[in-house]
Amino acid sequence: MFEKIFYEKDAFSNPRTQYVLNKFKGIPHVEISKIEDIFGRVKKPYLQKRTNLNLFIGEKKGQLVKETPNAYGLSGDPHYYFIHSYNCIYECDYCYLQGYFHSPDLVFFINHEEIIEEMRQIIKKNGSHKTSWFHAGEYSDSLALSHITGELPLYFDFFRDLKSAKLELRTKSANIKELKSLRPSKNIIVSFSLSPKEQIKDHDLKTPPLETRLKAMETLDKLGHPIALHLDPIIFCDDFKSQYEEMLESLFKYISPERIEYISLGVVRFTKDVYNQMKKNYPSSKVHQSELIKSFDGKVRYMRPMRLWMLQTIKNICLLYGVKEEKLYLCMEE
Amino acid sequence: MKLLTFAHRAESQAFLKNKALSFKAKPFAFEGFYCSEKELALLITGEGVQSATEKLAAVCGAYPEITHIINMGVAGILEDSPKLDLNQIKVLRTCYLSRSEGMEFKSFTTSEESKNTFDCVTSHKRALTKEDSNRLSPFAPIVDRECWAIGSVASRFKIPFHAYKILSDRVFESGEVCQQVKDKALFFSESLLNYFLETWSLEAPGPIEAYDNLEKMSKDYSLHFTTSHKRKFRSLWNILLKKYSNEKEVLKKLDMDCFKEIKLSPKEKTSFLLEKMENLSTPFKSELKVKLDQSISPLKNAKCLVRFSENFEDDSMELSLKIRKEADLIHLKKALEKTDYKQIKNLLNGIPE
Ligand code: SF4
């Protein structure tokens, strides 16, 4: 899986570092003083993640919990994301990480106690009349490697007794090994990002197929873990409507609409940089043939009537299946 | 023309002596430039980034016919790995640069498609000690003195570049490296020559056989393409080829058989074909336009010009009409009454029917 593991000298004795190093005994382990001395110091081409992926382990410095951009999550409450990891083992061709870091290498931060401390301060500041939302998975998939990173029990322990805070674990994986062993908590929501099976095949390279994700979702639901959905990014194709009808039909066979906490919908969009990176890395991706335009603010997206039509078409299908309107969140990105 | 580059004459000696290649010195601004009748040239760049950059850029500027740059030479091993052994020739992938003040952010990647490739760090000074190897090995397992510069010039001139290095020493072991490398120079050069002859064809590339759909389609379906039609066709054809898996499927989607029957002039048929291709490549936009056209047809009939915002980024519309006589006003009034504004609004706001 990894070519080399670089670990920060100061992180060596941490049990989480030790666990990972032990798990990958057969590959070179290299001691470094700081992650940033190597990671991102040079431009490492994104697609080298296929053949030459390194792992860095260390402590994240600076702000660990940040406010999310506006169009994020259900509105009204304050939303934050926290940084526990960089980059991802999957390879979705639209992934914005390809234009974000200058390296596809994975970074695991091990100072989760400090992240939790920052969360504690934020919750205190926001008071009990607001629900503070914390999202994992802004710069990585939050479950894909959770059996290796091992931080989930810590977050479950922290969030379990909190009345005014919620944790969202966002994933495209079906790796629920860790979660299965944890007692569910009402305020810890596992949100699955889904697309029709044809789209997963075309765009979500190396991710588990739809069916596997749905089964994982069903298992967690049966165990009592709250489940949410992200239908994002939605990509147009010739049989767009029927693909989504089919996907939602299968979805609701695995989990009933009432059991879903919320469904967020968002249409594919790119900053100019990410789009250029994507064109370079995936020149024959079908995204390029799906009527994208350079929009008013320089972003690359579908024209307004099209993105609104896509959102509303899926919203209508969800409503037909009995999803309550208040559970549907349309990310308008205007 | 392919251009081979070496840092030192010793590395290139087998190439220069090879009878079949028959390189001849070419008078240039500096020494070390050779040409062969085999569509091949050879440049000795000198050691280090600055010299390699200057000399290669000068040659690339003077010879626009260079199609590939192939950098060859010796390189050091930075880490003890079973994948890297002395005397092996490695195909390079991404080249990084270590400057005296630290690592340079920019990197250059060769045009190699093979999976069995290695990264290389070009060092501003000779890497000779264990400290050097500890400093550089986190970035790449191989070190040389000019590959990054070659990649940088190749990228500037948009010429594909390749790099093959023979592993001459283990930097992490330190020792009397320079003399050993000098002693084995002929062996290294011969190995590189053999590798080059095995890997690269010396035949001049023949004319590219381009299958031109356009010519074929014109003949098969009696079409007539003007220059602007041709441009449009090619761009749409490329889009459709990416969208659908192959030519056959595109032709099927376009229902090309109908073109044999329709009674239109070759020019009209071509316009019709291009319209079909456009609809296939942007089905949503095409359908939206048709529906909007229908919705505003009463206004159009009243000679009223209707303009929507760019890319329909808002749901407004702009009407303009010159009123010359009272009848124009009456026409407009009737047209406005007949216009289903709600329908237009719904279309612009993506409300599904
Ligand atoms: S799962 Fe998410 S983070 Fe990973 S490649 Fe896909 S989009 Fe990127």
Side-chain angles (χ1 to χ4, degrees), chain A residues 46 49 87-98 137-141 171-173 193 203-205 207 233:
Chain A
Y46 183 73
K49 72 193 282 182
N87 285 326
C88 182
I89 50 166
Y90 301 136
E91 224 197 89
C92 307
D93 62 8
Y94 49 75
C95 181
Y96 85 99
L97 293 177
Q98 62 195 304
E138 180 72 7
Y139 295 125
S140 56
D141 187 286
T171 192
K172 278 204 179 82
S173 86
S193 297
H203 304 289
D204 298 3
L205 316 180
T207 62

Side-chain angles (χ1 to χ4, degrees), chain A residues 231-234 265-269 302 307 310-311 331 333:
Chain A
L231 306 184
D232 189 354
I234 302 169
L265 310 177
V267 177
V268 74
R269 64 268 174 198
Y302 300 122
R307 43 186 203 268
M310 291 164 76
L311 287 173
C331 174
E333 265 275 322

